[in-house]
Amino acid sequence: MGLEKTTRMNYLFDFYQELLTPKQRSYMELYYLDDHSLGEIAEAYDITRQAVYDNIRRTEAMLEEYEHKLQLFEKFQKRQQLVKEFEKHPFTDERVGEFLTQLKEWD
């Protein structure tokens, strides 16, 4: 699993974890945050490795669907980029107005 996917899943989990069941949250935390293997999770829950794998893949798809509909992570990324732009450029009234207009458009 690539670092980019792991990072994305961690962000999506942060934004949408309250929409998941306790079991889904637990599997995702163990797999993505605590770096447990599928086998370790399966052993802890006394289920098959395949059952853990299937549950994690379904939960990933749900998180992606939530993001597709709500776009919380995308808006977060845009705001982060805007903050970087603020830090790089001098603060002129015109630039501040442009940045504020962009922020309003994203919400």
Side-chain angles (χ1 to χ4, degrees):
M1 174 175 27
L3 181 59
E4 188 173 309
K5 179 181 179 184
T6 298
T7 301
R8 179 174 176 79
M9 280 299 129
N10 283 328
Y11 272 111
L12 294 181
F13 182 73
D14 284 346
F15 283 110
Y16 303 113
Q17 66 180 302
E18 294 302 318
L19 301 175
L20 302 176
T21 67
K23 183 170 73 170
Q24 289 169 324
R25 277 197 301 273
S26 180
Y27 289 176
M28 294 298 282
E29 285 174 358
L30 290 170
Y31 189 69
Y32 280 105
L33 301 177
D34 298 339
D35 202 29
H36 286 239
S37 70
L38 296 174
E40 290 169 325
I41 299 168
E43 188 175 315
Y45 282 89
D46 196 29
I47 58 174
T48 66
R49 188 179 173 282
Q50 185 65 43
V52 174
Y53 176 83
D54 291 344
N55 186 287
I56 288 173
R57 293 301 166 250
R58 278 192 308 274
T59 304
E60 289 171 346
M62 287 175 67
L63 292 173
E64 290 292 354
E65 185 63 24
Y66 294 146
E67 175 60 15
H68 177 74
K69 290 178 180 176
L70 302 171
Q71 300 177 348
L72 297 179
F73 180 49
E74 182 180 337
K75 290 176 183 178
F76 168 77
Q77 287 179 305
K78 287 179 178 179
R79 285 190 298 272
Q80 292 298 103
Q81 185 59 38
L82 196 56
V83 167
K84 287 179 185 177
E85 290 294 317
F86 257 118
E87 292 171 345
K88 288 192 314 193
H89 297 288
F91 291 96
T92 63
D93 287 343
E94 183 179 305
R95 289 293 287 171
V96 171
E98 289 174 22
F99 289 142
L100 290 175
T101 299
Q102 286 180 349
L103 281 173
K104 289 176 187 175
E105 288 173 1
W106 296 334
D107 287 328

